Amino acid sequence: MRAIYQACALAVLLGAIGTATAQAPTGVVERSVTTLPNRDTQIGIYLNVLPDCTSGPLPTIRLVSPPAAGKVVVKTAKAKATNYKACLALEVPAYVAFYKSPPEFLGDDVLTIEVKYAGGRTEIQKITVKVSGPGAQQKI
C-alpha cells in the first residue's frame, strides 16, 4: 500500500490525476516503465480530486490496445497525498493499473489506455513497458 501512496505523487507529475474542471477534450501521454519478468508493476494511478479536496467521480478506464505479451489489471485503492494543490492532506479512492509479463518474456511491450474524466476530458496513455532480466534494472 505504501507504493500506492508514493505513486500518487508520481501520478501528479505524470498528469494521471484528473480534476473536475473541463479541459481540452483529448490529450495524449506517452511514457515508459521498467520491470522484471512475471512481476506486478504499477503503471498508473487514476483519481479525481475536487477543489474542496474531496473525491469526485472516478474516471472510466478502457484498455484500447492490450499488451502483446503481458496482461493489465486495474484494482481499487485509497490514495493519500500531501501538499497537492490547495490540499494539505487528502485521502481519496483511486484506480491503480498494474502490468505483469509472462516469466519468459524479455523486451518491450506496448499498451494503450483511454481515461475519461467526468468533466469531459479524455486522455490517451501509450505506455511502453520495458521488461528486462535481473541486473539490467537501474539501481536506486
Side-chain angles (χ1 to χ4, degrees), residues 108-128:
D108 290 357
D109 208 359
V110 179
L111 61 113
T112 305
I113 295 175
E114 176 187 69
V115 184
K116 288 186 178 183
Y117 294 97
R121 181 175 66 115
T122 299
E123 185 174 273
I124 303 296
Q125 296 188 356
K126 182 178 179 184
I127 304 168
T128 302

Side-chain angles (χ1 to χ4, degrees), residues 25-112:
T26 302
V28 178
V29 175
E30 290 190 35
R31 55 193 167 88
S32 64
V33 176
T34 303
T35 188
L36 294 170
N38 199 33
R39 180 169 293 179
D40 285 329
T41 302
Q42 183 176 313
I43 58 172
I45 182 167
Y46 309 95
L47 49 108
N48 187 357
V49 179
L50 299 175
D52 68 353
C53 301
T54 60
S55 177
L58 288 174
T60 301
I61 302 170
R62 182 173 70 97
L63 189 59
V64 176
S65 62
K71 68 177 188 173
V72 175
V73 176
V74 175
K75 298 179 182 182
T76 58
K78 288 269 186 192
K80 289 184 180 183
T82 56
N83 303 317
Y84 173 70
K85 296 188 178 182
C87 309
L88 296 179
L90 60 89
E91 182 175 338
V92 294
Y95 290 133
V96 183
F98 293 92
Y99 168 88
K100 186 174 186 178
S101 74
E104 69 283 351
F105 180 77
L106 295 175
D108 290 357
D109 208 359
V110 179
L111 61 113
T112 305

